[in-house]
């Protein structure tokens, strides 16, 4: 491997750090709504003129009227609906405006959403928060696709996985920040919750300013716009003055020629063409496995799971989950270029499967055996660690690796849509399944995780350290010469880089 290919230049670090401000905001949007639930529900009730305290005997008890619960549920879930809808437009906006301008335009949604939520107490709070969450969701659906596309296209091959993992690191850091600042004695109070929700627009403003100093994706400039000289000077900026970009340019030139015969690939063509059938299947199953691993069962309901498991300070245990999640993702940044995507994915899923079984045993024996609450807590922490080893970060960037410039944006859109849909399903159903299955809820995820592990073993290719061209060349070779055909045949000639 060319040593220079691995070197991180100041411009590359600056560019990728600017991009992941979008991921940070996505994470903040996921996490921010958990802690202040009670406080905001009370605010809605007061504004709506509904009584929220009830006297029972000598005690005054909390009572949340069903209208308030309905508005609250909507405030939470409308975010995913926004993400689900907008994720389908990622490809269109990324190609229409380019990666940088698209991100700038999309940032305006983040600011509008934040303003609506931050100013909610001045009007009909519930309506403004719901509208703000919807617009923030629309923003997140787009940014969750734009960031990995852009990072994948500016990164050198040898660092594509490590830098791609930074998207997930941004997400988990955003979740952790929102958990901490959402504590009641910080911003999760009756007075400051609008600031807590409104803060979500700040990274978008900072990012928009910084983006003026970031180069456009060289692949977009060359392959989509046909400006070879401009792409060359961007590559020199990103890789350093002494870097010889001829190899990259040659690779892009071939990809451009292919793209010319291939034309733009729409979402429908992605499903129709047999060339894309296998990679789109792998992409969708990976995103499904990320969400149906049950990770958000933990993230959305950890406080109630910890309470059931008998942990005394559940809120802090939840923040502990956020912290462990962040540390594990940092470790993953360093592992992904060493161990490879495929092996980390298999280890991650299999590890989560074992943890889900341990969690089930611990929850089932909770009342009869001392110490089970600690076993349960350890299993939850390890479940999260295994998630961030592979299933957390990899689906976001491997889709960009499995497709060339033509179908990449459409593939990202469909995969993002799949991720949001599965996330929404878990968010809506987990509590009902947990109520129905009691301590056995995680058995369902253990079974799914086993299935996903087997699928990964047989179907997911290794992409570490390979250029798009190398990947497809290797598989063409295997297709024609090897005894055993491999799953990578599907990259086919027309989807090559
Ligand atoms: O770190 C956990 C978080 O990561 C995601 O899967 C995104 O990659 C979220 O859905 C989840 O809340």
């Amino acid at each position: 491997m060319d040593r220079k290919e691995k070197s991180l230049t100041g411009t590359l670090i600056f560019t990728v750090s600017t991009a992941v401000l979008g991921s940070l905001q996505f994470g903040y949007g996921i996490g921010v709504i958990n802690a202040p639930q009670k406080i905001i529900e009370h605010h809605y009730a007061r504004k709506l003129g509904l009584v929220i305290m009830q006297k029972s005997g000598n005690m005054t008890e909390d009572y949340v009227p069903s209208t308030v619960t309905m508005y609250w549920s909507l405030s939470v879930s409308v975010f995913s609906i926004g993400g689900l809808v907008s994720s389908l437009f990622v490809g269109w906006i990324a190609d229409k405006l380019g990666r940088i301008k698209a991100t700038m335009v999309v940032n305006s949604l983040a600011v509008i959403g934040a303003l609506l939520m931050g100013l909610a107490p001045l009007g009909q709070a519930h309506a403004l928060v719901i509208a703000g969450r919807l617009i923030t969701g629309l923003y997140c659906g787009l940014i969750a696709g734009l960031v990995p596309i852009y990072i994948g296209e500016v990164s050198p091959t040898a660092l594509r996985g490590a830098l791609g993992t930074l998207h997930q690191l941004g997400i988990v850091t955003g979740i952790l920040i929102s958990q901490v600042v959402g504590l009641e004695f910080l911003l999760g109070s009756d007075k400051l919750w609008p600031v807590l929700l409104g803060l979500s627009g700040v990274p978008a403003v900072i990012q928009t300013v910084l983006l003026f100093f970031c180069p456009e994706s060289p692949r977009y400039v060359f392959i989509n716009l046909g400006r070879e000289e401009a792409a060359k000077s961007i590559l020199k900026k990103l890789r350093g003055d002494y870097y010889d970009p001829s190899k990259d340019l040659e690779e892009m030139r071939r990809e451009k020629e292919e793209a010319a015969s291939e034309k733009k690939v729409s979402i429908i063509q992605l499903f129709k063409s047999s060339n894309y059938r296998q990679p789109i299947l792998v992409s969708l199953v990976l995103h499904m496995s990320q969400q149906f691993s049950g990770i958000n069962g933990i993230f959305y309901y950890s406080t109630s799971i910890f309470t059931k498991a008998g942990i005394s300070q559940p809120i802090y245990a939840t923040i502990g989950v956020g912290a462990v999640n962040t540390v594990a993702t940092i470790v993953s940044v360093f592992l992904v270029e060493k161990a490879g995507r495929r092996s980390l994915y298999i280890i991650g899923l299999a590890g989560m499967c074992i943890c889900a079984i341990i969690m089930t045993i611990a929850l089932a024996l909770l009342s009869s055996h001392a110490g089970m609450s600690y076993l349960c807590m350890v299993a939850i922490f390890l479940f999260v660690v295994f998630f961030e080893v592979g299933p957390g970060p990899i689906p976001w960037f491997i889709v960009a690796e499995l497709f060339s410039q033509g179908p990449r944006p459409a593939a990202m859109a469909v995969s993002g849509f799949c991720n949001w849909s599965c996330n929404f399903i878990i968010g809506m159903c987990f509590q009902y399944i947990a109520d129905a299955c009691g301590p056995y809820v995680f058995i369902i995820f253990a079974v799914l995780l086993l299935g996903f592990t087997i699928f990964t073993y047989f179907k997911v290719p290794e992409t570490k350290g390979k250029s798009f061209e190398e990947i497809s060349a290797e598989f063409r070779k295997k297709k024609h010469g090897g005894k055993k055909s491999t799953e990578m045949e599907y990259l086919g000639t027309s989807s090559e880089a």
Side-chain angles (χ1 to χ4, degrees):
M1 181 79 50
D2 184 353
R3 276 203 66 235
K4 267 182 267 164
E5 239 203 88
K6 267 211 150 170
S7 68
L8 273 173
T9 61
T11 309
L12 184 59
I13 295 173
F14 177 77
T15 300
V16 174
S17 313
T18 301
V20 299
L21 281 175
S23 328
L24 187 96
Q25 218 164 312
F26 173 27
Y28 192 89
I30 296 174
V32 74
I33 206 77
N34 288 347
Q37 174 176 355
K38 283 272 160 294
I39 302 270
I40 302 181
E41 278 180 347
H42 278 248
H43 188 95
Y44 285 0
R46 276 202 305 276
K47 276 272 164 117
L48 289 162
L50 300 165
V51 191
I52 208 159
M53 292 299 198
Q54 263 198 348
K55 278 242 177 231
S56 88
N58 293 336
M59 307 266 285
T60 309
E61 276 178 2
D62 253 6
Y63 163 76
V64 181
S66 59
T67 328
V68 173
T69 311
M70 196 259 297
Y71 284 133
W72 176 256
S73 308
L74 215 54
S75 311
V76 177
S77 57
V78 81
F79 173 79
S80 308
I81 295 174
L84 201 140
V85 171
S86 69
S87 60
L88 283 173
F89 297 93
V90 163
W92 172 76
I93 198 162
D95 278 349
K96 183 101 193 141
L97 302 178
R99 292 26 172 170
I100 297 272
K101 273 202 202 120
T103 310
M104 287 176 166
V105 168
V106 162
N107 274 340
S108 61
L109 291 174
V111 175
I112 296 171
L115 282 175
L116 285 172
M117 293 188 287
L119 301 176
L122 303 181
Q124 287 290 327
H126 62 288
L128 290 169
V129 171
I130 291 169
R133 288 279 296 169
L134 174 68
I135 295 175
T136 308
L138 288 171
Y139 159 77
C140 288
L142 291 165
I143 205 73
L146 286 171
V147 173
I149 293 180
Y150 181 59
I151 294 183
E153 291 180 358
V154 295
S155 302
T157 307
L159 292 172
R160 222 171 36 210
L163 297 179
T165 303
L166 294 180
H167 173 52
Q168 181 72 5
L169 184 59
I171 298 174
V172 301
T173 310
I175 297 178
L176 181 61
I177 293 175
S178 70
Q179 284 172 333
V180 174
V181 295
L183 286 170
E184 202 171 340
F185 66 89
L186 292 173
L187 298 180
S189 63
D190 201 24
K191 267 221 165 87
L192 292 176
W193 69 261
V195 180
L196 177 71
L197 299 191
L199 265 186
S200 66
V202 174
V205 175
I206 300 174
Q207 189 191 48
T208 305
V209 174
L210 297 181
L211 279 172
F212 281 103
F213 305 97
C214 293
E216 182 48 274
S217 143
R219 301 187 87 82
Y220 176 78
V221 168
F222 190 176
I223 301 169
N224 298 59
L225 304 182
R227 295 169 51 207
E228 180 168 348
E229 277 310 307
K232 191 170 164 185
S233 76
I234 292 174
L235 276 170
K236 279 194 163 282
K237 260 197 216 147
L238 285 169
R239 309 273 186 272
D241 269 347
Y242 299 106
Y243 184 76
D244 174 11
S246 51
K247 216 174 110 196
D248 302 57
L249 291 170
E250 190 46 44
E251 195 201 316
M252 288 185 212
R253 195 169 298 124
R254 280 196 294 268
E255 188 169 338
K256 186 171 157 55
E257 277 159 20
E258 292 240 355
S261 60
E262 193 179 29
K263 293 281 178 258
K264 276 245 292 281
V265 178
S266 69
I267 291 181
I268 296 169
Q269 284 160 327
L270 205 59
F271 285 99
K272 274 193 173 161
S273 160
S274 60
N275 284 318
Y276 307 129
R277 202 155 293 146
Q278 282 293 324
I280 199 66
L281 175 75
V282 168
S283 304
L284 293 181
V285 175
L286 287 184
H287 275 276
M288 242 182 247
S289 70
Q290 184 194 74
Q291 292 301 322
F292 288 158
S293 65
I295 189 67
N296 284 322
I298 300 285
F299 271 93
Y300 299 154
Y301 301 101
S302 57
T303 308
S304 79
I305 296 174
F306 282 131
T307 311
K308 279 202 190 93
I311 306 292
S312 55
Q313 295 266 13
I315 288 275
Y316 289 96
T318 293
I319 293 181
V321 171
V324 167
N325 194 34
T326 308
V327 174
T329 314
I330 296 173
V331 174
S332 191
V333 172
F334 295 96
L335 277 183
V336 73
E337 298 297 0
K338 293 209 159 63
R341 292 64 159 138
R342 200 181 110 85
S343 31
L344 285 180
Y345 214 87
I346 294 174
I347 293 171
L349 289 175
M352 289 179 88
C353 179
I354 295 168
C355 291
I357 296 171
I358 298 176
M359 244 186 271
T360 309
I361 297 172
L363 285 172
L365 299 179
L366 200 62
S367 49
S368 53
H369 290 70
M372 282 299 149
S373 59
Y374 292 102
L375 182 63
C376 183
M377 191 153 120
V378 171
I380 290 179
F381 278 88
L382 286 177
F383 186 81
V384 169
V385 169
F386 280 115
F387 174 78
E388 295 303 356
V389 160
I394 291 173
W396 293 115
F397 69 82
I398 205 170
V399 178
E401 295 188 326
L402 289 177
F403 291 90
S404 59
Q405 202 75 8
R408 184 179 299 124
M412 289 297 285
V414 176
S415 310
F417 181 77
C418 172
N419 192 290
W420 282 94
S421 312
C422 299
N423 191 338
F424 183 66
I425 293 171
I426 293 287
M428 294 305 275
C429 303
F430 184 84
Q431 194 61 62
Y432 296 103
I433 305 173
D435 290 346
C437 303
Y440 300 102
V441 57
F442 277 97
I443 276 294
I444 300 174
F445 295 111
V447 173
L448 287 170
L449 283 160
L450 181 65
F452 290 131
T453 312
I454 296 169
F455 177 90
T456 308
Y457 182 80
F458 286 108
K459 289 284 180 194
V460 177
E462 183 52 81
T463 51
K464 182 190 92 170
K466 295 174 186 147
S467 71
F468 302 117
E469 198 180 33
E470 281 166 341
I471 294 169
S472 46
E474 185 180 317
F475 284 95
R476 258 202 316 276
K477 197 173 73 202
K478 284 193 180 160
K479 184 175 182 178
H480 298 304
K483 285 195 284 305
K484 198 172 73 143
S485 66
T486 84
E487 59 276 1
M488 285 289 282
E489 284 167 11
Y490 58 65
L491 281 170
T493 43
S494 67
S495 63
E496 287 156 19

